[in-house]
Amino acid sequence: MAALLEVRDLATHFFTRDGVVKAVDGISFSLDPGKTLAVVGESGSGKSVTALSIMRLIQEPAGRIVDGEVYFKGDSVLAMNESQVRDLRGDRIAMIFQDPMTSLNPVFRVGRQIGESLMLHRHLSRKDAFERAIELLDMVGIPHPRDRARDYPHQFSGGMRQRAMIAMALACDPDILIADEPTTALDVTIQAQILELMSELQERTGTAIIMITHDLGIVADMADDVMVMYAGKQIEYGPADSVFYRSGHPYTWGLLDSLPRHDVDEKGTLLPITGQPPSLINVPSGCAFHPRCRYAREICPREVPASREVGEGHFAACHFAGQDGFVRGAAQAGGEVA
């Protein structure tokens, strides 16, 4: 089966007065129909810029896709003209944006904004599109949806605006749904409803999902594959079970170890990754993670690590990935990894 979406060596840079911000620097992945890819990493690692690049929403001239290819059903998205890209967005590829307040137009009613894509892509009348918008608001858990569809975004709470954005993204049953932190502003009950709704859409229509999230619990429940990003680069990629239980990069270990484990530690003690993510203008030499890595050796600041296969379809960009004894566990910097 051909991949629904294929990204090859994608690089997106921002040209500023202070220098070139390499927000995305050479990532590759594929996405099959009906599958879920989770993209994880700290803030500033390039997750959202990856999604915006796929949607061709990078603001020029400061931001530019400088290298790579994006193929949707075999067609190059980067070679499409503006009209073709507009036909693609919201219809075949939809995105739930991270900040709903800045993504919704403050001067139009919520129901009209949800119905706009249905009029454009499904050629529904204004009345039919509004009725469908009411149904979608009800699906995502908005109370009194017929009344709330006539409200403006400022009359919605943050969580309700997020649900309205989700309704807008689901309106045309897209082939690919890109969800950028879709449940951040929602309480746990609504989170569960939204994730269940996305799963039902996936089962019913075969929609593929790219889930950008900090919540590794969501990743464990929903993802088929996981891509871990750090400093604009893809440092680990593979099937979710393999990445969770046989992860090959110390940064991934740090993300997993930073989760509270009440089954192991009654106090739920967190083990944070030391230090801060690097500036994307002045990325450290060699392995970008080496200043924060307790397993760093002499080679790490000197050479950029190649991506090594550590399992079937599972790759990690670490000099020591896959070596005997180099596994997630207790080890000291410069000492023997065990």
Side-chain angles (χ1 to χ4, degrees):
M1 180 184 297
L4 182 63
L5 179 72
E6 189 170 355
V7 177
R8 302 176 187 168
D9 300 318
L10 181 66
T12 301
H13 297 172
F14 292 86
F15 299 85
T16 72
R17 292 178 179 177
D18 295 325
V20 179
V21 178
K22 298 179 180 179
V24 174
D25 196 18
I27 66 168
S28 301
F29 64 87
S30 61
L31 182 66
D32 294 328
K35 299 296 184 181
T36 298
L37 169 69
V39 184
V40 300
E42 293 169 288
S43 296
S45 60
K47 306 184 301 297
S48 295
V49 175
T50 297
L52 293 173
S53 299
I54 293 170
M55 297 285 286
R56 288 269 304 272
L57 289 173
I58 299 299
Q59 294 296 310
E60 297 182 349
R64 291 202 300 272
I65 299 173
V66 298
D67 199 6
E69 293 289 345
V70 178
Y71 292 98
F72 173 72
K73 293 186 176 180
D75 296 326
S76 174
V77 176
L78 303 186
M80 293 180 179
N81 60 38
E82 285 300 319
S83 177
Q84 291 171 320
V85 173
R86 282 196 298 270
D87 289 340
L88 190 69
R89 293 190 201 118
D91 184 17
R92 306 281 37 98
I93 304 178
M95 184 169 176
I96 303 169
F97 293 93
Q98 190 170 8
D99 186 354
M101 191 59 197
T102 58
S103 302
L104 291 168
N105 192 319
V107 301
F108 292 114
R109 300 179 192 275
V110 171
R112 175 177 173 180
Q113 294 187 60
I114 296 173
E116 187 176 12
S117 63
L118 292 165
M119 291 188 288
L120 176 64
H121 298 298
R122 295 293 180 265
H123 307 295
L124 297 185
S125 67
R126 184 180 296 273
K127 179 181 178 181
D128 289 342
F130 186 77
E131 291 298 321
R132 177 58 179 159
I134 293 170
E135 293 176 10
L136 289 163
L137 288 173
D138 185 47
M139 286 172 58
V140 297
I142 298 289
H144 311 294
R146 184 170 294 277
D147 295 331
R148 301 317 299 261
R150 295 184 172 87
D151 285 343
Y152 292 92
H154 73 271
Q155 295 174 282
F156 276 38
S157 67
M160 290 173 67
R161 286 194 291 266
Q162 186 77 333
R163 281 179 270 169
M165 285 296 303
I166 293 169
M168 190 181 302
L170 299 180
C172 292
D173 291 339
D175 293 313
I176 298 174
L177 177 63
I178 302 175
D180 191 355
E181 299 283 357
T183 60
T184 298
L186 307 180
D187 61 56
V188 291
T189 303
I190 300 301
Q191 280 186 24
Q193 292 176 4
I194 294 302
L195 295 175
E196 183 179 0
L197 179 63
M198 292 169 64
S199 296
E200 289 174 357
L201 172 73
Q202 192 170 47
E203 292 177 4
R204 178 168 47 92
T205 66
T207 296
I209 296 174
I210 298 176
M211 176 76 72
I212 298 171
T213 183
H214 291 89
D215 190 336
L216 293 179
I218 292 176
V219 174
D221 288 339
M222 290 191 64
D224 297 294
D225 298 298
V226 177
M227 180 171 70
V228 183
M229 294 188 67
Y230 185 78
K233 293 184 180 294
Q234 172 184 311
I235 63 167
E236 188 152 6
Y237 177 81
D241 285 347
S242 186
V243 171
F244 265 81
Y245 298 109
R246 294 177 295 279
S247 47
H249 198 287
Y251 178 64
T252 309
W253 305 346
L255 292 178
L256 294 171
D257 287 341
S258 66
L259 293 174
R261 290 287 303 276
H262 295 287
D263 57 332
V264 176
D265 181 358
E266 291 183 357
K267 296 181 180 179
T269 304
L270 297 177
L271 298 174
I273 302 172
T274 59
Q276 297 293 327
S279 164
L280 296 182
I281 296 177
N282 298 303
V283 179
S285 60
C287 174
F289 185 60
H290 84 262
R292 306 173 68 190
C293 181
R294 60 168 135 170
Y295 310 113
R297 308 290 176 81
E298 290 183 1
I299 191 175
C300 297
R302 294 201 313 262
E303 296 182 18
V304 177
S307 185
R308 301 167 178 262
E309 189 167 14
V310 296
E312 185 175 356
H314 181 185
F315 299 86
C318 175
H319 291 295
F320 309 105
Q323 292 186 8
D324 291 340
F326 193 75
V327 295
R328 184 179 172 202
Q332 300 299 323
E336 182 178 354
V337 180

